[in-house]
């Protein structure tokens, strides 16, 4: 809640440090050391692909977890005074869970494309780097899509549970909204499959 | 989003709030027992199940409030920061009320043990019992309140004045002003939907306070500047409206100030001071309820906890209003529901030294409608024997006539006037003949023996129960009141004048407490050589 002196101090110190470092490099003619191209080439394609897998799984699970948290507490709270909603609203939890499963699937698919290579020529290496970048992009896209999809399904599911507690005819209508919400996670899955399909690191 | 459980629970509680159909049922109730039955089928359930009959409105009020406090404390227990701080803020309002209650109680010399149970349970804090030791606000602050959450609110009201009645109210208003502004700033800090919903509600509350302080201050010793210091500044009226309110000195002026704000204009327009109009307080309540209900339309904010508490309080006020109406109607119908109080009337007999007096009122009515004011209930059966009958008027006439028949036969046979004790036995026999279908009259018999000066006063119930020769006897609807006064005024061995004074004063003042008796008094004072009759005019109502 409110900005404290510690946060302001920390932020100010780090910004100051960055500016100092940047100015030092620039003014002492070592600016060339700040080389983005070298940075990208120095990271091996394995690193990119595996970080892609990590992002795919972890961000999807994060989205699903936030969604289940939002829906679950509302079902519990509403279920105290209206016990009939408990079983029906588990559908919302299942839809959040599906989001995590998309991430799992993509993780498996991406990891299937990773294998060792021993290319040395620059044209072959370029293809390997391309594969790495593609797998990273696939993982990132499915991860972020599922993150937002999971949170969205969770919030809508929470609203569905509370509305159901008041008036049971509302549940089916709000479920339709939830279906649209979970469709966006599917989009992320589709795009990431397309991205990772052509990429193979094998020789 | 973090507080989904508490929110779900709160919405569940809110769905149990009574609806129009429930109120329709409650309004149809005839007794408080019916009310309890109908409340059982709502969310309240069996909360009154353990109460012994008869139910009173106070018991219902206590149980309702207890249930609400339980629910609120449960919500508070399952919540965590920042919701728990928010709910603590809600309780500060009740703490202020408790502090003021204790201070006024101490000023009126009430014991601390009487006052503590009357405090609102949501507003208790550890140092509450220590309030009574302070004399001035400064002492109150430094000794007791500096550690409580209300400490910062006291800065404005520490002054050199001692605590007395008017200042206590000013302290309450100052504390409340500081509290509501602090709460408003806290909600703004939380931001988001909570800020939108709560700031709207709190701004209305602040403006309502300002209006009510102004309206209630007309005609009191509160000056305009003192009034201005009590207005909370977090409402929509700040700053121009508050300046205008400071300068007004009539209800019309307040109306004009309100006319500049469309919401308040519509509230003031819908109210009036005539009978049958809604007062401005009613309109404010309605608007507050509307705002609180709108808070439930949005999700993921803290406003619903505040609104739930306020809506439940309004519901408790409604139920208690209905319960009061039921119990008033019930009590009013008691007059004349039973035969003995259908027509009303009262009589008193008192003994003195060689004199007796008997007195009665003159009202004849049908339940609460007075029909005649010359219906005296004393009948003479002999030179020194008088009987008074009180109860159902038709039976008064019937029994007096039947007794007259028997007394006439006695006098014809015996060729002498009847003695008091014989008359009494004759009367009680007459009444006991109708043991299982009795006359609805209670009787008084008085008499004097002119040779010996011995005095007799007897009374009887409607089936002829015999009493001893007593000093004082009363019958009728106001008999309890008159008996008390009679005992007060009675002295042994009074002479005729003192006896007359005692009798007439008891009767005249006792009938003031009873709506079924009155409209003047007839007093007979019987002495050895004469009988004096006096008619007295009392309150003609």
């Amino acid at each position: 809640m409110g900005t404290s002196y510690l946060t302001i101090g920390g932020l100010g110190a780090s910004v100051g440090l960055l500016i100092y470092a940047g100015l030092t490099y620039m003014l002492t003619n070592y600016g060339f050391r700040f080389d983005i191209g070298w940075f990208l080439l120095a990271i091996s394609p394995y690193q990119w692909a595996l970080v892609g897998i990590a992002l795919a799984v972890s961000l999807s699970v994060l989205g699903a977890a936030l969604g289940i948290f939002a829906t679950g507490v509302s079902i519990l709270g509403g279920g105290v005074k209206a016990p009939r909603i408990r079983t029906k609203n588990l559908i919302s939890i299942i839809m959040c869970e599906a989001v995590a499963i998309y991430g799992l699937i993509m993780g498996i698919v991406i990891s299937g494309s990773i294998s060792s290579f021993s290319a040395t020529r620059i044209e072959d290496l370029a293809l390997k780097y391309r594969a790495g970048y593609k797998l990273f992009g696939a993982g990132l896209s499915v991860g972020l899509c599922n993150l937002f999809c999971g949170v969205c399904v969770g919030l809508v599911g929470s609203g569905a549970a509370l509305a159901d507690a008041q008036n049971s005819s509302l549940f089916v209508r709000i479920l339709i909204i939830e279906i649209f919400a979970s469709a966006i996670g599917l989009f992320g899955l589709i795009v990431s499959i397309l991205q990772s399909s052509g990429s193979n690191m094998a020789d | 989003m973090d507080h989904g459980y508490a929110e779900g629970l709160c919405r569940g509680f809110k769905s149990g709030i009574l609806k129009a159909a429930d109120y329709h049922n409650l309004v149809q109730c005839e007794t408080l027992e019916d009310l309890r039955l109908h409340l059982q089928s709502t969310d309240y359930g069996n909360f009154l199940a353990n109460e012994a009959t008869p139910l009173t409105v106070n018991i219902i009020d206590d149980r309702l409030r207890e249930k609400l406090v339980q629910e609120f404390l449960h919500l508070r227990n399952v919540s965590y920061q920042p919701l728990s701080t928010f709910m603590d803020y809600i309780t500060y309002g009740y703490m202020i009320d408790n502090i003021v209650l204790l201070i006024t109680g101490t000023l009126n010399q009430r014991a601390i043990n009487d006052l503590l149970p009357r405090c609102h349970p949501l507003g208790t804090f550890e140092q509450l019992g220590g309030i009574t030791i302070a004399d001035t606000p400064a002492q109150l602050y430094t000794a007791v309140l500096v550690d409580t959450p209300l400490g910062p609110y006291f800065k404005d009201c520490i002054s050199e004045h001692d605590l007395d009645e008017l200042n206590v109210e000013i302290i309450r208003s100052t504390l409340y002003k500081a509290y509501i502004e602090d709460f408003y700033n806290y909600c703004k800090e939380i931001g988001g939907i909570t800020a939108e919903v709560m700031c709207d509600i709190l701004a209305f509350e602040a403006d309502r306070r300002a209006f009510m302080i102004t309206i209630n201050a007309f005609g009191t010793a509160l000056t305009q500047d003192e009034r201005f210091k009590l207005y909370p500044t977090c409402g929509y009226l700040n700053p121009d409206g508050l300046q205008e309110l400071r300068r007004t000195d009539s209800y019309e002026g307040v109306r004009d100030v309100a006319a500049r704000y469309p919401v308040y204009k519509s509230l003031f327009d819908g109210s009036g001071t005539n009978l049958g109009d809604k007062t401005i307080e009613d309109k404010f309540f309605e608007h507050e309820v509307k705002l609180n209900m709108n808070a439930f339309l949005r999700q993921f904010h803290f406003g619903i906890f505040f609104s739930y508490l306020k809506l439940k309080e309004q519901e408790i006020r409604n139920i208690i209003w209905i319960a009061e109406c039921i119990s008033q109607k019930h009590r009013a119908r008691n007059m004349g529901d039973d035969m003995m109080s259908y027509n009303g009337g009262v009589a008193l007999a008192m003994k003195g030294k060689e004199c007796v007096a008997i007195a009665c009122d003159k009202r004849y009515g049908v339940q609460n409608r007075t029909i005649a004011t010359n219906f005296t209930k004393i009948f003479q059966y002999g030179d020194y024997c008088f009987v008074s009958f009180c109860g159902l008027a038709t039976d008064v006439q019937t029994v007096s006539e039947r007794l007259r028949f028997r007394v006439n036969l006695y006098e014809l046979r015996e060729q002498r006037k009847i003695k008091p004790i014989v008359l009494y036995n004759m009367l009680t026999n007459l009444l006991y003949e109708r043991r299982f279908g009795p006359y609805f009259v209670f009787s008084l018999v008085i008499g004097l023996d002119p040779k010996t000066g011995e005095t007799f006063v007897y009374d009887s119930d409607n089936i002829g129960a015999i009493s001893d020769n007593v000093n004082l006897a009363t019958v009728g609807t106001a008999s309890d009141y008159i008996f008390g006064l009679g005992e007060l005024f009675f002295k042994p061995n009074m002479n005729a004048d003192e006896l007359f004074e005692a009798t007439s004063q008891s009767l005249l003042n006792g009938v003031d407490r009873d709506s079924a008796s009155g409209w003047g008094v007839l007093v007979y004072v019987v002495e050895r050589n004469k009988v004096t009759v006096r008619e007295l005019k009392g309150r003609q109502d």
Side-chain angles (χ1 to χ4, degrees):
Chain A
M1 294 294 121
T3 43
S4 65
Y5 290 125
L6 201 59
T7 7
I8 295 181
L11 221 58
S14 42
V15 168
L17 198 61
L18 276 173
I19 293 178
Y20 172 69
L23 278 178
T24 314
Y25 271 109
M26 201 171 74
L27 297 175
T28 54
N29 236 350
Y30 278 96
F32 63 88
R33 288 276 187 90
F34 189 69
D35 191 351
I36 300 184
W38 164 84
F39 176 71
L40 284 179
L41 274 183
I43 300 182
S44 98
Y46 297 128
Q47 172 79 318
W48 287 115
L50 291 165
V51 168
I53 297 177
L55 286 174
V57 169
S58 55
L59 291 179
S60 307
V61 165
L62 182 62
L66 287 171
I68 294 179
F69 169 55
T71 309
V73 288
S74 293
I75 296 177
L76 282 175
V80 172
K81 297 300 269 189
R84 59 186 161 79
I85 71 167
R86 292 172 306 187
T87 335
K88 227 175 8 165
N89 279 277
L90 292 179
I91 294 181
S92 309
I93 307 238
I94 293 174
M95 295 182 98
C96 286
E97 180 72 20
V99 159
I101 292 180
Y102 298 158
L104 175 66
I105 293 174
M106 277 323 296
I108 295 174
V109 166
I110 294 174
S111 67
S113 306
I114 301 177
S115 43
S116 327
F117 60 87
S118 52
T120 40
R121 292 187 309 144
I122 200 87
E123 302 85 21
D124 297 329
L125 262 183
L127 285 175
K128 307 304 172 213
Y129 270 86
R130 172 174 169 261
Y133 293 146
K134 275 183 105 170
L135 295 174
F136 177 73
L140 187 65
S141 58
V142 74
L144 283 178
C145 273
N146 285 341
L147 171 65
F148 296 124
C149 170
V151 170
C152 177
V153 171
L155 291 180
V156 174
S158 147
L162 293 178
D164 190 15
Q166 300 282 336
N167 181 356
S168 8
S169 63
L170 290 174
F171 178 67
V172 179
R173 313 212 176 139
I174 302 187
L175 204 60
I176 297 178
I177 302 177
E178 251 185 274
I179 293 173
F180 280 106
S182 70
I184 59 179
L186 211 54
F187 299 160
L189 181 69
I190 294 171
V191 167
S192 117
I193 288 195
L194 285 176
Q195 280 181 320
S196 67
S197 64
S199 66
N200 200 334
M201 281 199 218
D203 279 334
Chain B
M1 193 176 106
D2 282 342
H3 309 275
Y5 177 68
E7 178 168 347
L9 201 51
C10 183
R11 280 176 191 270
F13 286 147
K14 183 245 179 193
S15 65
I17 287 185
L18 300 183
K19 313 219 178 352
D22 296 315
Y23 282 124
H24 195 64
N25 281 343
L26 288 181
V27 165
Q28 309 283 6
C29 289
E30 304 272 308
T31 67
L32 293 179
E33 296 303 323
D34 282 346
L35 193 78
R36 168 173 27 192
L37 205 64
H38 278 113
L39 283 178
Q40 258 178 6
S41 63
T42 66
D43 217 30
Y44 279 104
N46 290 333
F47 78 117
L48 282 175
N50 295 333
E51 296 308 319
T53 48
L55 272 184
T56 65
V57 178
N58 281 337
I59 294 179
I60 297 181
D61 193 15
D62 286 339
R63 293 284 155 270
L64 285 171
R65 195 160 71 164
E66 212 177 272
K67 187 158 199 295
L68 173 61
V69 167
Q70 252 177 4
E71 290 175 353
F72 185 80
L73 288 178
H74 181 68
L75 284 174
R76 172 70 183 78
N77 287 335
V78 301
S79 63
Y80 45 95
Q81 294 289 356
L83 177 57
S84 46
T85 317
F86 183 85
M87 293 181 93
D88 285 339
Y89 262 97
I90 300 179
T91 61
Y92 296 163
Y94 298 104
M95 283 186 199
I96 294 177
D97 286 336
N98 285 349
I99 290 177
V100 172
L101 178 78
L102 286 179
I103 294 178
T104 21
T106 320
L107 281 178
N108 294 338
Q109 258 80 37
R110 292 266 187 80
I112 184 72
N113 294 328
D114 289 333
L115 296 171
L116 277 179
R118 292 178 55 195
C119 287
H120 199 284
L122 283 180
T124 51
F125 52 98
E126 289 157 3
Q127 297 90 338
L128 195 61
I131 302 270
T132 50
I133 61 171
D135 293 317
T136 68
Q139 222 178 42
L140 192 62
Y141 178 72
T142 51
V144 179
L145 290 165
V146 65
D147 287 325
T148 66
L150 296 180
Y153 303 151
F154 267 77
K155 279 202 278 301
D156 289 327
C157 55
I158 296 185
S159 63
E160 295 314 307
H161 301 139
D162 280 327
L163 296 169
D164 67 16
E165 290 287 339
L166 179 63
N167 283 333
V168 168
E169 281 309 310
I170 294 181
I171 287 179
R172 185 210 293 268
S173 300
T174 325
L175 281 179
Y176 199 82
K177 166 185 151 98
Y179 157 65
I180 205 173
E181 287 174 359
D182 195 22
F183 198 5
Y184 185 85
N185 290 334
Y186 180 71
C187 291
K188 264 218 140 51
E189 239 178 67
I190 296 182
I193 310 179
T194 306
E196 274 176 50
V197 169
M198 282 307 298
C199 290
D200 204 17
I201 296 178
L202 289 176
F204 172 69
E205 180 68 28
D207 290 336
R208 172 199 202 178
R209 283 239 143 200
F211 281 128
M212 294 318 297
I213 288 176
T214 318
I215 293 178
N216 291 337
F218 292 147
T220 66
L222 207 57
T223 67
Q224 287 184 342
D225 290 328
E226 284 177 357
R227 215 166 71 195
F228 182 68
K229 278 199 290 220
L230 299 177
Y231 295 152
T233 54
C234 56
Y236 298 123
L237 288 176
N238 185 42
D240 303 320
L242 292 181
Q243 290 292 345
E244 291 291 316
L245 270 185
R246 171 198 207 163
R247 288 196 281 266
T248 60
D249 53 5
S250 70
Y251 186 73
E252 296 310 317
V254 174
R255 261 200 131 109
D256 290 333
V257 174
R260 306 220 192 113
Y261 301 86
V263 177
Y264 302 137
K265 179 170 193 298
S266 61
L267 289 181
F268 271 87
D269 283 341
S271 76
T273 45
N274 312 323
L275 212 60
D277 278 348
K278 291 195 181 184
T279 64
I280 188 65
E281 287 98 350
D282 292 336
K283 298 293 285 185
F284 279 145
F285 271 129
E286 276 178 14
H287 190 73
E288 182 193 2
V289 166
K290 193 170 78 159
L291 285 178
N292 282 329
M293 288 192 51
N294 287 344
F296 278 92
L297 293 176
R298 312 183 65 170
Q299 211 184 352
F300 303 127
H301 65 100
F302 297 155
I304 57 171
F305 299 98
F306 181 84
S307 301
Y308 169 68
L309 191 63
K310 295 296 166 200
L311 286 175
K312 265 306 220 201
E313 283 187 340
Q314 181 65 36
E315 177 186 282
I316 290 179
R317 279 196 287 265
N318 288 349
I319 296 178
I320 295 301
W321 170 256
I322 294 176
E324 288 277 7
C325 290
I326 289 176
S327 72
Q328 297 289 357
K329 256 193 290 191
H330 210 221
R331 253 183 263 135
R333 270 221 249 105
N334 264 337
M335 170 171 163
D337 231 11
D338 60 321
M339 273 76 63
M340 295 307 296
S341 56
Y342 186 73
N343 294 121
V346 72
L348 162 74
M350 212 186 274
K351 237 190 232 191
K353 187 175 172 62
E354 297 188 355
C355 53
V356 273
I358 189 166
C360 69
D361 73 320
K362 296 184 355 192
R363 181 182 179 272
Y364 167 60
V366 170
Q367 290 184 311
N368 48 7
R369 209 171 38 237
T370 305
I371 310 284
T373 57
N374 59 355
F375 183 65
T376 58
K377 305 158 181 85
I378 300 182
F379 305 93
Q380 187 168 11
Y381 295 95
D383 293 333
Y384 297 95
C385 294
F386 291 83
V387 182
S388 175
F389 298 105
C390 279
L392 198 62
T394 165
D395 284 346
V396 166
Q397 291 178 315
T398 308
V399 174
S400 66
E401 292 299 306
R402 291 193 65 203
L403 188 62
R404 167 109 27 231
F405 173 70
R406 295 192 186 191
V407 168
N408 286 345
L409 277 180
Y410 178 91
E411 287 178 357
L412 281 173
R413 273 197 218 108
E414 302 274 324
Q415 291 298 313
R416 58 189 173 89
K417 292 290 180 197
I418 193 166
K419 289 209 171 70
I421 188 69
V422 176
L423 176 66
Y424 183 59
N425 281 326
M426 197 183 274
L427 172 64
T428 48
N429 270 338
L430 191 158
L431 293 171
Y432 197 80
E433 281 170 12
R434 291 271 182 273
R435 168 68 172 86
F436 295 108
Y439 291 113
F440 297 108
V441 284
F442 277 37
S443 348
L444 283 178
V445 175
I446 67 159
L448 187 79
D449 186 341
K451 290 197 217 44
T452 63
E454 197 187 343
T455 53
F456 305 94
V457 171
Y458 302 103
D459 72 318
S460 166
D461 70 0
N462 65 334
I463 50 173
I466 294 187
S467 79
D468 297 327
N469 192 352
V470 291
N471 284 325
L472 170 67
T474 63
V475 294
T477 52
S479 61
D480 294 334
Y481 312 123
I482 300 194
F483 200 82
L485 285 167
E487 290 214 311
L488 184 66
F489 289 127
F490 177 79
K491 291 193 308 281
N493 296 325
M494 289 187 279
N495 64 28
D497 289 323
E498 290 174 335
L499 181 64
F500 167 71
E501 277 308 310
T503 313
S504 51
Q505 286 308 310
S506 309
L507 207 67
L508 273 176
N509 293 305
V511 297
D512 285 345
R513 277 278 166 265
D514 181 26
S515 53
S517 332
W519 289 94
V521 166
L522 185 71
V523 186
Y524 284 75
V525 179
V526 183
E527 299 168 71
R528 283 176 79 165
N529 49 357
K530 61 177 168 164
V531 173
T532 322
V533 183
R534 292 183 185 88
E535 259 192 56
L536 301 173
K537 187 166 167 176
R539 276 182 64 111
Q540 302 294 296
D541 63 356

